[in-house]
Amino acid sequence: MRVPLSWLREYVDLPATETGRDVQAKLVSAGLEVETVEHLGADLKGPLVVGQVLTIEELEGFKKPIRFCTVDVGQANGTGEPQEIVCGARNFQVGDKVVVVLPGATLPGGFSISARKTYGRTSHGMICSGDELGMGDDGSHGIIVLPPETEVGKDAIELLELVDEVLDIAVTANRGDCLSIRGVAREAAIGYGLPLRDPALLDVPGPNAFGYPVQVSDPLGCDRFTARTVTGLSPEARSPLWLQRRLQKVGMRPISLAVDVTNYVMMELGQPLHAYDRTLVQGTIGVRRAEEGEQIVTLDGVERKLHAEDLVITDERGPIGLAGVMGGANTEIADHSEAQGTTDVVIEAAHFDAVAIARTARRHKLSSEASRRFERGVDPQAAAAAAQRTVDLLVLLAGGTAEAGVTEVVAPSAPHTISVPADHPDKVAGVTYGRETVVRRLQEVGCDVYGQDELIVTVPSWRPDLQEINDLAEEVIRLEGYENLPSTLPRPPAGRGLTHRQRLHRRAGRALAGAGYVEAPNYPFVSEQVFDQLGLEADDPARRVVRLTNPLNDEEPALRTSLLPGLLGALRRNDGRGSHDLALFETGLVFQPRSEQRAAAVLPVDRRPTDAEIAELDAALPEQPRHVAVVLAGAREQAGWWGKGRPADWADAVEAGRLVAREAGAELVVRGGQYGPWHPGRCAEFVVVVDGAETVVGHAGELHPRVVKAFGLPARTSAMELDLDVLEAVGDDTPQAPAISTFPVATQDVALVVDKFVPHADVETALREGAGELLEGIRLFDVYENEEQLGDGKKSLAYALRFRAGDRTLTVDEASAARDAAVALAGERTGAVLRG
C-alpha cells in the first residue's frame, strides 16, 4: 500500500516538521512494515511552468516526425517572449496548455536542461511528458495536456504536486484496514496521539423504495449491498489534476472520471466499488453463485468460464461481474475519449465473504485491488459512506445529479464482542500495563470497552482480525511498543538439555566435518523412479515408501527411504558447476511405512494432549530412523609440492563409516558385501551385534557404473550410508581415559595365507580372540597376491600385533606364545597358514 504523506496529512494534523522517515518510524513501532519512503521530486529543480502552444511547424526530412513549436510561458522566461522548443510528440495541438521545463532546470534522474541545437533548430527547453517528470503513465503515452483553464506561467511543480513523500507499506494478511489511507491515518493518529478526521463520517441518507432494484440470493456471500444512481454526467468531464496525481502516487493509472472516482474512494476508505453504465444494465441487479458452465468477459477482455462457487453480479441477461474481483465488459463505463460517453451510472458498494472472493481470485488467476482488500477484510459499515462519497465527487466533478433513491440490502448481524480479563495483556507480555492503559489502547483502535476486572470489548467493524482475547492483547502490546518489552532469557530446568540421540547426531556431523566433508542437507522428497536408478531389487524394502497426499512437486510424491538420492543430486549439481573435488555428508531422517496403517488421531486444541493421545498419534506415523551418509568424487588429497595427491576411492567411504561408529562407541565389523547401488567387487557391508545376532546397518564403497551413468555422476564416485539409530543402541560412548603403561611394547608381525574369498575382518577377529588379553592392538599393513608364490586363489594378509602387559615387561616367549595362539585360532576358523 503506497501512502502519500500529503494525503495522510488531510486526516491527521501531523507536525509540519515531521518527514516521511519520522512517520515511518512511528508506524513501524506500531507494527506496520513500512518498507521504503520514496522521495518524489527530490532531485527536481525548476523553472517548470505551464505554457500554451502558439504555433506548430512540422519539420521534414527526418526519420521520425519532428515539430518546431513556440510556446507562451508568460514571464517565466524573464522576457515574456514565446519560447522556441523542438518536440517529437504528436498528442497536442495549437492552443493546448502543456508543461514546459526551461533552461537551467533539472529533471528527475539528474537530467539538466539547457538550450541546444537539434534537427537544425535551437530548442530552448522541453515540453514534458509524465514519465519525464517521474509521474508515471497517465494513459496518454505522450505530452501532458493540462485543462484549458490552467493559468499560463503557473509553477507546474506545485500544480502537479511533484514534490512529495510516499510510504510503501507491506500490509500483512490480517490488516486489511491498512489497505486504505483511512486505516493508515488511524495508525498515525494513534502513534502521534492526535485526533483522526475520519473520512467515512458522512451524512448518508437512509434506504428507501426508490433505489435501483437489487436482489441478493446469497446473503452468506454478500451480507451488504448498497446501490446509488447518478445521472446527467458530462461525457467530456475528466478527472482533475489533484485526483489524477493522487491515483498515480498510490500506483494506479487514471482511466476515466467515473472509474477514477471509484478507485480514489477505494484507496481513501478501503471499500472497493464498481460503477456500471446504467444504460447497459438490464433489469434488477442480483448477487448469486454462478451456474456451472456460465461465462463472462471481464474488463481485461478475457472470457472466463465460471465455477459453481464463484460469486457473481447479474442482471436479466446473466453475469455482469465477478463479485469483489472484476466487473464485466458488457456494462463497462465508456472512456471520455469515446463518442458516446457514459452519462448515467449505478454505483455498487458491497461487502462480500472474504473466503469466497479469495478462492474466486485464485481460481481465475485474477488478483485485483478489490480482491486484495476483500480477502483481507473490508469494513462492512463503510459501504454506505463510500457510495455517498462517490456520488458527491461525481456530482462535483462531472455536473451530475444524485437520484433520491437509495438501495441498501443488509443481512442481520451483531457486532463481535469479546470478554477479556483486564490483566490478560500483562500476562502475555510479562509487563504490568494496568487496566487504564489496556482500556485506552483498545479504545484508540476503535473498540467499545466496558467493565472493571473483566472487560467486555466490542470490536470495531473495520477490524475483523480481532477475534479472541490474544488479538486484543497484541493490540495493547504493539501500541505500547514491542521495543519496550523486557528481554528475559528462559531458564531451562536441569537435565533438559540435548538428548543422547541429538548429541550423537551433532558429534557425527562434527567428526565428518573435521574429516573434510561438507554438510549438504536435502529435501526429504523423492520420485519412485530413483530406486530404479539406484539398482534396487524389485522386492527391496527400501522401495516401500510413504506417499504424500498433497506433494509440493508431483514428480517427487514420496518420502525418502535413503539419504543417497538427495546427496547424489547435490554432488551432480556441484560437479556440473565446476566443483569436481567433492566430499559431502548429510545426517537426517528416512521414512519407512509401518506394516499396519492407521489413521492419525485428531488432537484437542483446548488443552494439552495426554500422553496416551500423543502415543496414539506417534503410532500412526511412519518409522523415522536417523541415517548418516557421505558421497565422494574427485581428489581426496590435492596434489602439490608435498606430493602427487590421490583420488577419493571406496576406502575413504569405508573409513567414514568407521569414523561415525567410533563417535557412537559401537564395534563395527567391516566385510565384503553386495547391495543395490554399490559395485559388487568394491562394496563393504557394516555389521554390528544386536542381542547376540549380527545386523547389517549400512554399506560403503564405490558406486556401480550403471548407477554413476544413471545419475550423471563423475566416474568412480563412492558413497556410504549408515543407520545412526542402531549404532546409538549398540554403542557405548562413555568417555574412556586412555591406558598409559610404563612397560615397553612387544611387536610381532605375522603373514597369513588364506583363500581370496576369506574376509580380512574374519581373520582379524580370530587373531584378536586367539591372542588374548595381552594383545594391545592389531593392524593390517599389507595385502599380497601372487599365484606363482602363493598358489591359485590365495592371498597373503600381513598383520602387526602389539603386545603389552600392564604389570610387567613381557618376555619374548610370552609374546611369541600369544602370537602362536592367535595364528592357531585364525587357522582353525579361516584356514589361514603362516606364509613360508
Side-chain angles (χ1 to χ4, degrees):
M1 175 67 191
R2 291 171 56 85
V3 180
L5 192 58
S6 59
W7 199 349
L8 195 65
R9 289 182 183 275
E10 282 200 7
Y11 310 127
V12 184
D13 289 328
L14 299 175
T17 57
E18 289 295 282
T19 66
R21 294 290 184 188
D22 299 327
V23 178
Q24 177 189 30
K26 287 287 186 183
L27 294 179
V28 169
S29 178
L32 294 185
E33 186 179 347
V34 184
E35 294 187 327
T36 60
V37 178
E38 183 179 352
H39 296 268
L40 302 181
D43 51 357
L44 179 63
K45 175 185 174 184
L48 188 72
V49 298
V50 176
Q52 184 172 21
V53 180
L54 300 178
T55 64
I56 298 177
E57 179 186 351
E58 301 289 345
L59 302 182
E60 304 293 340
F62 300 102
K63 292 183 179 180
K64 62 179 181 179
I66 297 297
R67 311 168 96 187
F68 180 68
C69 311
T70 58
V71 184
D72 178 13
V73 295
Q75 296 298 319
N77 57 4
T79 65
E81 296 294 326
Q83 201 79 2
E84 296 179 341
I85 299 174
V86 175
C87 183
R90 313 289 298 175
N91 68 313
F92 65 95
Q93 56 190 355
V94 173
D96 282 347
K97 302 289 181 65
V98 294
V99 178
V100 179
V101 58
L102 300 177
T106 303
L107 293 181
F111 183 60
S112 299
I113 303 300
S114 60
R116 64 190 184 97
K117 190 169 183 178
T118 179
Y119 298 102
R121 304 293 179 94
T122 300
S123 181
H124 299 274
M126 283 176 54
I127 301 175
C128 299
S129 67
D131 286 336
E132 290 166 340
L133 297 178
M135 296 169 54
D137 182 22
D138 61 357
S140 66
H141 304 289
I143 294 302
I144 301 171
V145 179
L146 301 172
E149 65 273 12
T150 310
E151 178 186 350
V152 172
K154 184 177 179 62
D155 184 359
I157 296 178
E158 179 182 350
L159 175 69
L160 299 176
E161 301 178 13
L162 297 178
V163 178
D164 202 350
E165 293 182 277
V166 179
L167 285 70
D168 194 350
I169 303 175
V171 179
T172 54
N174 65 319
R175 291 304 303 274
D177 60 304
C178 288
L179 285 173
S180 66
I181 304 297
R182 179 197 184 200
V184 177
R186 182 178 291 107
E187 294 296 317
I190 295 173
Y192 281 95
L194 297 171
L196 170 70
R197 289 188 293 275
D198 192 344
L201 295 180
L202 301 174
D203 291 330
V204 180
N208 53 53
F210 310 107
Y212 197 93
V214 173
Q215 176 65 44
V216 177
S217 303
D218 188 345
L220 294 179
C222 176
D223 57 8
R224 184 179 296 267
F225 195 106
T226 300
R228 300 289 299 275
T229 304
V230 181
T231 60
L233 299 177
S234 171
E236 294 80 19
R238 297 182 58 185
S239 301
L241 286 175
W242 63 268
L243 193 149
Q244 293 186 43
R245 287 296 295 134
R246 286 194 170 178
L247 289 178
Q248 288 172 334
K249 289 177 185 179
V250 298
M252 303 189 78
R253 182 173 65 86
I255 299 173
S256 65
L257 178 59
V259 176
D260 292 349
V261 167
T262 57
N263 286 337
Y264 177 85
V265 176
M266 176 179 67
M267 304 306 297
E268 182 181 55
L269 302 182
Q271 168 66 54
L273 302 108
H274 191 71
Y276 302 93
D277 189 328
R278 183 176 181 179
T279 62
L280 300 179
V281 178
Q282 298 181 9
T284 300
I285 291 178
V287 183
R288 61 169 172 82
R289 299 287 174 170
E291 297 176 3
E292 196 68 43
E294 280 188 312
Q295 295 183 342
I296 184 176
V297 178
T298 46
L299 288 174
D300 57 358
V302 178
E303 182 175 339
R304 303 181 186 277
K305 186 175 181 180
L306 300 179
H307 188 274
E309 292 185 3
D310 291 337
L311 200 63
V312 293
I313 311 297
T314 65
D315 65 4
E316 292 180 352
R317 297 165 296 177
I320 61 173
L322 275 175
V325 180
M326 185 174 287
N330 54 354
T331 57
E332 182 180 5
I333 296 292
D335 188 87
H336 64 80
S337 62
E338 298 181 20
Q340 297 296 326
T342 299
T343 58
D344 300 343
V345 297
V346 178
I347 305 300
E348 165 210 310
H351 184 262
F352 301 110
D353 176 61
V355 174
I357 301 307
R359 288 177 176 172
T360 296
R362 283 156 180 74
R363 188 179 299 117
H364 294 282
K365 297 181 176 60
L366 185 60
S367 179
S368 64
E369 292 290 345
S371 67
R372 287 183 62 222
R373 284 160 176 78
F374 277 123
E375 64 191 29
R376 286 168 173 78
V378 169
D379 181 5
Q381 302 294 335
Q388 183 63 46
R389 176 74 164 137
T390 304
V391 168
D392 292 343
L393 286 173
L394 288 176
V395 171
L396 174 66
L397 302 177
T401 301
E403 289 195 351
V406 177
T407 302
E408 193 164 342
V409 180
V410 181
S413 63
H416 183 49
T417 300
I418 304 173
S419 178
V420 55
D423 62 348
H424 182 68
D426 301 5
K427 295 178 180 179
V428 173
V431 176
T432 302
Y433 292 122
R435 178 188 177 280
E436 290 74 15
T437 299
V438 171
V439 171
R440 175 173 56 86
R441 288 304 191 183
L442 292 178
Q443 288 175 337
E444 285 178 345
V445 300
C447 297
D448 290 331
V449 185
Y450 302 96
Q452 293 299 317
D453 294 338
E454 190 75 16
L455 303 179
I456 306 301
V457 180
T458 301
V459 175
S461 58
W462 56 82
R463 291 298 303 275
D465 59 305
L466 302 182
Q467 293 292 323
E468 47 103 13
I469 60 175
N470 287 325
D471 296 330
L472 300 180
E474 182 184 3
E475 290 300 294
V476 175
I477 295 168
R478 75 175 182 89
L479 294 178
E480 284 295 306
Y482 291 122
E483 68 276 9
N484 295 323
L485 293 177
S487 298
T488 305
L489 293 176
R491 291 183 292 180
R496 295 295 182 89
L498 297 176
T499 65
H500 184 271
R501 187 187 194 210
Q502 291 170 329
R503 288 196 296 271
L504 175 58
H505 172 213
R506 293 193 179 188
R507 285 204 314 274
R510 283 195 294 265
L512 289 172
Y517 291 85
V518 177
E519 187 171 14
N522 295 282
Y523 287 116
F525 312 117
V526 296
S527 67
E528 295 184 64
Q529 289 73 27
V530 76
F531 302 123
D532 296 329
Q533 295 176 293
L534 289 174
L536 299 186
E537 299 292 337
D539 59 347
D540 195 300
R543 284 182 175 269
R544 294 184 62 243
V545 295
V546 178
R547 292 178 179 83
L548 300 172
T549 302
N550 187 21
L552 295 178
N553 183 353
D554 292 338
E555 295 181 358
E556 296 180 330
L559 292 173
R560 66 189 178 190
T561 57
S562 166
L563 300 182
L564 287 183
L567 274 178
L568 294 178
L571 186 141
R572 180 183 64 247
R573 287 191 298 274
N574 283 277
D575 180 71
R577 294 170 184 173
S579 298
H580 304 301
D581 303 325
L582 296 163
L584 309 178
F585 84 93
E586 180 179 6
T587 57
L589 302 179
V590 298
F591 304 86
Q592 301 167 352
R594 298 180 187 268
S595 56
E596 179 186 354
Q597 298 292 333
R598 64 176 69 179
V602 178
L603 298 182
V605 296
D606 57 343
R607 59 175 174 82
R608 183 190 183 279
T610 65
D611 292 341
E613 289 172 331
I614 295 176
E616 183 181 358
L617 177 64
D618 288 340
L621 298 176
E623 296 285 353
Q624 301 177 54
R626 186 178 296 278
H627 282 199
V628 57
V630 305
V631 293
L632 306 100
R636 185 65 176 138
E637 294 178 2
Q638 295 291 334
W641 58 266
W642 53 85
K644 296 181 179 180
R646 69 174 183 86
D649 61 16
W650 62 268
D652 294 298
V654 172
E655 180 57 28
R658 294 181 186 273
L659 177 64
V660 173
R662 286 195 294 270
E663 290 296 323
E667 185 175 347
L668 195 67
V669 177
V670 182
R671 62 191 183 196
Q674 183 172 343
Y675 178 68
W678 282 278
H679 194 295
R682 296 169 187 160
C683 173
E685 68 178 14
F686 297 132
V687 178
V688 296
V689 178
V690 181
D691 297 331
E694 289 189 344
T695 301
V696 177
V697 293
H699 295 83
E702 183 180 317
L703 294 179
H704 197 288
R706 286 196 299 268
V707 175
V708 169
K709 181 179 180 180
F711 279 91
L713 305 173
R716 314 206 74 164
T717 297
S718 299
M720 178 278 295
E721 185 166 12
L722 264 173
D723 189 326
L724 202 53
D725 283 354
V726 176
L727 290 183
E728 178 194 5
V730 301
D732 180 10
D733 58 358
T734 304
Q736 300 290 335
I740 301 176
S741 175
T742 59
F743 297 98
V745 66
T747 302
Q748 297 273 356
D749 293 345
V750 296
L752 303 177
V753 177
V754 297
D755 293 330
K756 283 186 178 181
F757 64 82
V758 175
H760 141 70
D762 292 349
V763 178
E764 181 179 316
T765 301
L767 289 173
R768 284 183 182 278
E769 293 182 14
E773 296 181 353
L774 294 180
L775 182 66
E776 182 182 73
I778 182 171
R779 179 175 63 88
L780 175 69
F781 65 85
D782 184 48
V783 178
Y784 178 70
E785 296 181 8
N786 189 307
E787 293 184 0
E788 294 181 0
Q789 297 184 16
L790 302 177
D792 186 25
K794 299 292 185 178
K795 64 181 177 181
S796 171
L797 304 177
Y799 293 91
L801 308 179
R802 292 169 56 87
F803 298 99
R804 194 189 321 250
D807 57 350
R808 68 189 186 280
T809 299
L810 292 177
T811 65
V812 174
D813 292 339
E814 288 177 310
S816 298
R819 180 202 62 192
D820 293 342
V823 171
L825 187 58
E828 179 183 336
R829 289 188 178 179
T830 66
V833 297
L834 281 172
R835 181 178 172 186

